[in-house]
Amino acid sequence: PPRPPPAAAEPPEPEPGGRYEAVVPHWFWCKVTDTRERWVPFSAQDSERLEEAHGAGQEQGDVVVPTSGGRYDVHLRTRQRVAVYWEEEVSEVRRCTWFYKGDKDNKYIPYSESFSEELEEAYMIAVTLGEWKKKLESPNREVIILHNPKLMVHYHPVASSDDWVSTPTEQGRPRTVKRGVENIAVEIPNGEPLQIDHLVFVVHGIGPACDIRFRSIVQCVNDFRNVSLSMLQAHFKKAQEQQQVGRVEFLPVNWHSSLHSTGVDVDLERITLPSINRLRHFINDTILDVFFYNSSTYCQTIVDTVASEMNRLHRLFLQRNPQFKGGVSIAGHSLGSLILFDLLTNQKADPEEDEHCAQGSRTASSPGDTEEVKEILKKLELSEYCDVFEKEKMDRQALFLCTEKNLKEMGIPLGPRMKILHYISSKTEMKVTAELWLHPQSPGNTSTEIVSSTNLNIPLSQVSANYPQLNYKPTIFFAFGSPIGMFLTVRGVKRIDPNYSLPTCKGFFNIYHPFDPVAYRIEPMIVPDLEFEPMLLPHHKGRKRMHLELKEGLTRMSVDLKNNLLGSLRVAWQSFTRSPVPALEAGSTEAEAEAEAGTEKQTDTKPEEPPAAKEESPLINVGRLNGGNRIDYVLQEKPIESFNEYLFALQGHLCYWESEDTVLLVLKEIYQTQGITLDQPLPGSQ
């Protein structure tokens, strides 16, 4: 063992009766990954709350302290950390004061609470009496020596072939011992603001793993939340200082485990071939989720799970946060976005909202829908029947529900009856075209009667399911790497009516990476006759990525060079083919001038087309699916990704969880609904 340095090199040791200051404890929890344990500190706020509850509740029963933004509860008596909103292994919690350095990764490991108390007591006696070189025995019979306040060593015995030796020994590898969390190299996480402004439910795509590192939806959403906290600090600093902004809570919604607990995995195992076992297992566990969703049996299981889980999480969140007054949004990745889209297209809007809401409501497909009954009858030159309709208390909604039998019972003659029914059917057909092209024909579909009355052909390939209702109206729907456009096309939907909007959700953003092989656009389905670029998502640091600027610059330069070269070649050819007369000089100058003018024209138009398109893109009418705003947003690829699109295709589909640009757009749009804007608007943002 290393000998302690001479006393002269040490600071003067405390005299007997020296000052002793109690150690400040910090609370940690144990994270177990692949049988490896790692002790993670709670944030300073959480640790203070736990310490306060520990001091106050020693005599009481089990005290529960919410931590990590309310997503985990710590049961103090049993020293357990339990997930609130999802299923997760219970973690051990420890009140830590003394630490020793581990063998494998040099991270500090806390001693048990009881042994830490023994060490603290020995330290206190040593400081008070000035008696150092104290020797203690750890619970697993290892030796700890307190040489002086700066040098404390734990001797870890070397593995010996003699199993009978049970005497603690100082032989072996010495490991550093530290007192107090401030003396060890550990990063205490920043706490989260207590105020929650908005709640977002995040639904995963195919398979149990959500990113390139095969992590679960819980871990990926944790990343997304952490990025959102750093983006709030960077871009909403003023609003935070004025206490207008707290944070946005993101909660994961897991449907994969419910689907695969139906017994379908056992059935699949029976019919799966034994060769290439790992690949077949991967396909069964991930890619088959797409086929499950297209099966009416399992589609019902999936939509029921997603809707009931989001409703359960919403109820539980409100119970735990009774002061919460913010809105709720939803986000879906990959197949998860399609599940949410189908759920949202099958939600029922309130009748009052149907009647009065002019912005994107389901019935606001034409100006005539808001006309009163009198105005409709006047338009049809049937004003003399106004009294009959008033007597029967017929409003616009009741009129649209009328059948020929009803009108006959009211005493309306055949001619006027036909006029009214024709008007109803024409207006209803406009609404159905906007609405039901997107709807699976199902028992849960509120407009199946309209389908039969107008004989509108709904693609039979759509999945038949009874779509449950959500307990709230989402503010915005965010789709990441979404195949919605492709699935709608495969179902036979050629066009989305520009007047169509989701019944209960007025915002819709389709966000994708340019190399994402699963992502498809939505806007060309609304405006099929016009070719235009998606909105380029601004970089979170406020400018276009340098390699994209360079690429644009080189493109512009190459166009200029090409035009100049063509101009000079034209001039040369003209001078070569003309007869050598004195007027040639003037002619050539004119030709040059023409060529230059042409070149200038071309350079003015061609290279500037993409930026011009981008500047004008907000003026493009992309319908009411996102309240009249743009829907498709494309991320900027990283410099390394632009070298090989195919190489980064898979990563492109799984990049959204840690994408600052994606998170910033989500935060910007959410806070915009509350009238709160970024400190500085990003260039190119809408």
Side-chain angles (χ1 to χ4, degrees):
R3 296 175 65 183
E10 289 296 322
E13 292 182 1
E15 295 296 322
R19 286 197 310 273
Y20 161 75
E21 289 182 9
V23 67
V24 178
H26 195 94
W27 291 72
F28 282 65
W29 60 277
C30 185
K31 183 178 184 177
V32 181
T33 46
D34 301 327
T35 68
R36 282 184 62 193
E37 289 186 357
R38 187 163 69 86
W39 285 90
V40 182
F42 284 97
S43 69
Q45 295 97 313
D46 284 347
S47 186
E48 281 169 23
R49 269 189 234 113
L50 288 164
E51 187 60 26
E52 195 180 312
H54 171 75
Q58 280 179 337
E59 306 303 319
Q60 302 169 13
D62 190 16
V63 179
V64 179
V65 180
T67 60
S68 305
R71 295 181 298 278
Y72 289 89
D73 281 342
V74 170
H75 296 257
L76 275 181
R77 188 164 57 84
T78 54
R79 294 287 196 268
Q80 288 183 329
R81 176 179 181 264
V82 182
V84 172
Y85 296 105
W86 54 83
E87 287 182 13
E88 191 179 297
E89 287 289 325
V90 173
S91 305
E92 184 190 343
V93 171
R94 199 173 281 182
R95 181 176 180 260
C96 305
T97 50
W98 284 77
F99 305 84
Y100 65 92
K101 192 175 273 189
D103 288 328
K104 292 175 185 172
D105 50 7
N106 283 335
K107 298 240 188 263
Y108 279 94
I109 299 165
Y111 285 107
S112 69
E113 290 184 39
S114 55
F115 187 62
S116 291
E117 284 174 15
E118 285 181 41
L119 284 167
E120 185 64 21
E121 196 177 327
Y123 179 85
M124 181 182 70
I125 293 166
V127 169
T128 312
L129 303 178
E131 295 174 0
W132 289 95
K133 299 183 177 52
K134 288 267 182 188
K135 192 182 286 189
L136 286 93
E137 192 180 316
S138 75
N140 48 354
R141 300 182 62 74
E142 294 172 8
V143 172
I144 293 100
I145 298 178
L146 311 182
H147 289 291
N148 58 55
K150 297 288 173 73
L151 184 62
M152 296 173 280
V153 182
H154 179 144
Y155 291 99
H156 184 65
V158 180
S160 167
S161 57
D162 188 358
D163 295 333
W164 299 100
V165 177
S166 58
T167 325
T169 173
E170 289 177 39
Q171 301 303 316
R173 293 192 307 278
R175 293 189 295 189
T176 312
V177 174
K178 294 286 184 184
R179 174 181 180 265
V181 73
E182 65 279 2
N183 292 316
I184 65 169
V186 66
E187 193 179 338
I188 308 291
N190 295 322
E192 299 175 27
L194 293 175
Q195 177 192 328
I196 300 173
D197 306 316
H198 203 87
L199 175 63
V200 181
F201 295 122
V202 185
V203 180
H204 66 83
I206 61 169
C210 297
D211 72 350
I212 205 85
R213 286 172 277 172
F214 295 97
R215 296 184 305 163
S216 69
I217 180 67
V218 172
Q219 293 167 303
C220 290
V221 172
N222 284 347
D223 272 354
F224 202 85
R225 189 187 305 108
N226 291 337
V227 174
S228 81
L229 292 171
S230 63
M231 288 294 104
L232 281 170
Q233 287 176 347
H235 294 277
F236 291 87
K237 210 161 198 170
K238 287 178 190 170
Q240 277 191 332
E241 285 166 3
Q242 293 165 8
Q243 295 185 335
Q244 292 178 304
V245 163
R247 67 182 176 92
V248 175
E249 180 60 284
F250 296 90
L251 294 180
V253 178
N254 186 349
W255 55 265
H256 181 268
S257 49
S258 295
L259 170 67
H260 288 265
S261 62
T262 56
V264 68
D265 286 358
V266 179
D267 298 337
L268 278 171
E269 195 63 40
R270 267 191 231 110
I271 58 172
T272 303
L273 303 184
S275 58
I276 50 171
N277 186 38
R278 285 187 182 179
L279 180 59
R280 291 186 195 279
H281 179 72
F282 173 77
I283 290 169
N284 286 354
D285 211 27
T286 54
I287 295 166
L288 285 193
D289 285 353
V290 178
F291 298 99
F292 283 134
Y293 188 64
N294 282 314
S295 142
S296 55
T297 306
Y298 293 108
C299 174
Q300 189 66 60
T301 304
I302 292 169
V303 294
D304 284 348
T305 303
V306 170
S308 63
E309 185 66 2
M310 289 202 294
N311 285 338
R312 180 190 73 83
L313 289 170
H314 185 244
R315 280 193 304 272
L316 182 56
F317 179 82
L318 292 180
Q319 280 171 20
R320 293 177 64 87
N321 301 274
Q323 306 302 317
F324 178 72
K325 296 286 184 287
V328 181
S329 290
I330 54 178
H333 176 238
S334 189
L335 183 65
S337 64
L338 177 69
I339 296 165
L340 289 176
F341 187 79
D342 284 347
L343 266 174
L344 289 176
T345 53
N346 285 281
Q347 296 300 294
K348 297 174 188 172
D350 292 341
E352 297 83 11
E353 194 175 314
D354 257 1
E355 184 81 28
H356 300 294
C357 181
Q359 291 298 320
S361 73
R362 280 163 43 153
T363 54
S365 298
S366 69
D369 282 353
T370 53
E371 290 174 355
E372 294 298 325
V373 174
K374 281 184 183 178
E375 289 172 8
I376 294 169
L377 292 171
K378 189 179 176 184
K379 189 177 177 181
L380 297 173
E381 298 176 353
L382 298 172
S383 299
E384 64 266 31
Y385 298 104
C386 286
D387 294 340
V388 180
F389 280 87
E390 270 183 33
K391 186 184 173 186
E392 296 290 340
K393 295 183 179 178
M394 295 283 282
D395 59 7
R396 185 189 62 82
Q397 195 176 358
L399 177 68
F400 274 76
L401 294 170
C402 271
T403 61
E404 187 180 2
K405 188 183 175 186
N406 300 142
L407 293 170
K408 197 173 184 179
E409 285 170 356
M410 287 166 63
I412 308 292
L414 179 63
R417 273 205 313 269
M418 290 298 104
K419 280 186 179 180
I420 292 167
L421 288 169
H422 179 263
Y423 178 83
I424 291 170
S425 68
S426 66
K427 292 296 175 187
T428 308
E429 190 162 348
M430 284 177 70
K431 181 169 77 172
V432 170
T433 309
E435 189 175 283
L436 288 181
W437 277 3
L438 301 169
H439 282 30
Q441 191 171 357
S442 66
N445 191 340
T446 56
S447 310
T448 37
E449 293 171 7
I450 300 173
V451 176
S452 56
S453 67
T454 57
N455 295 319
L456 189 69
N457 291 321
I458 303 297
L460 296 174
S461 60
Q462 291 186 9
V463 184
S464 174
N466 188 4
Y467 288 89
Q469 299 299 300
L470 299 174
N471 292 341
Y472 49 86
K473 292 178 185 173
T475 310
I476 306 173
F477 167 38
F478 298 99
F480 307 139
S482 172
I484 291 171
M486 180 269 288
F487 270 86
L488 291 180
T489 304
V490 168
R491 290 171 179 178
V493 178
K494 293 190 182 296
R495 185 168 178 263
I496 299 171
D497 193 292
N499 291 314
Y500 178 77
S501 70
L502 297 167
T504 57
C505 179
K506 303 308 170 212
F508 175 31
F509 289 85
N510 181 37
I511 303 160
Y512 59 91
H513 189 281
F515 305 154
D516 187 341
V518 179
Y520 289 81
R521 288 191 66 185
I522 296 288
E523 289 171 342
M525 295 189 75
I526 303 168
V527 192
D529 305 325
L530 189 64
E531 279 192 24
F532 55 97
E533 294 292 315
M535 289 293 287
L536 186 69
L537 247 167
H539 190 261
H540 67 282
K541 289 188 177 168
R543 60 174 294 163
K544 205 173 272 189
R545 288 187 187 271
M546 195 175 286
H547 73 286
L548 291 177
E549 286 185 351
L550 185 66
K551 195 193 284 184
E552 273 187 15
L554 288 170
T555 308
R556 203 174 292 123
M557 193 170 74
S558 67
V559 171
D560 289 349
L561 284 169
K562 187 175 120 185
N563 289 333
N564 287 332
L565 183 65
L566 286 171
S568 54
L569 282 171
R570 198 180 298 120
V571 171
W573 178 253
Q574 283 170 348
S575 62
F576 177 73
T577 51
R578 283 186 188 178
S579 55
V581 289
L584 179 63
E585 283 179 27
S588 66
T589 356
E590 280 169 26
E592 274 176 18
E594 274 175 30
E596 279 175 19
T599 307
E600 277 172 21
K601 272 184 194 172
Q602 283 176 333
T603 46
D604 281 349
T605 54
K606 284 195 179 176
E608 292 303 322
E609 267 175 21
K614 282 193 176 68
E615 279 169 25
E616 289 169 15
S617 56
L619 303 174
I620 295 167
N621 179 16
V622 289
R624 297 221 310 260
L625 196 54
N626 190 22
N629 299 314
R630 293 295 301 272
I631 299 163
D632 292 337
Y633 282 77
V634 61
L635 290 163
Q636 300 179 36
E637 75 268 20
K638 293 175 182 172
I640 193 169
E641 292 172 344
S642 58
F643 286 118
N644 191 318
E645 297 179 4
Y646 293 94
L647 198 61
F648 291 95
L650 180 60
Q651 192 170 319
H653 184 57
L654 305 170
C655 71
Y656 306 98
W657 308 115
E658 296 175 70
S659 163
E660 291 98 337
D661 301 350
T662 303
V663 172
L664 189 57
L665 177 71
V666 169
L667 293 175
K668 180 174 89 74
E669 294 302 330
I670 284 172
Y671 279 111
Q672 212 159 277
T673 62
Q674 301 174 20
I676 298 166
T677 54
L678 298 166
D679 292 343
Q680 290 182 331
L682 296 172
S685 61
Q686 196 174 328

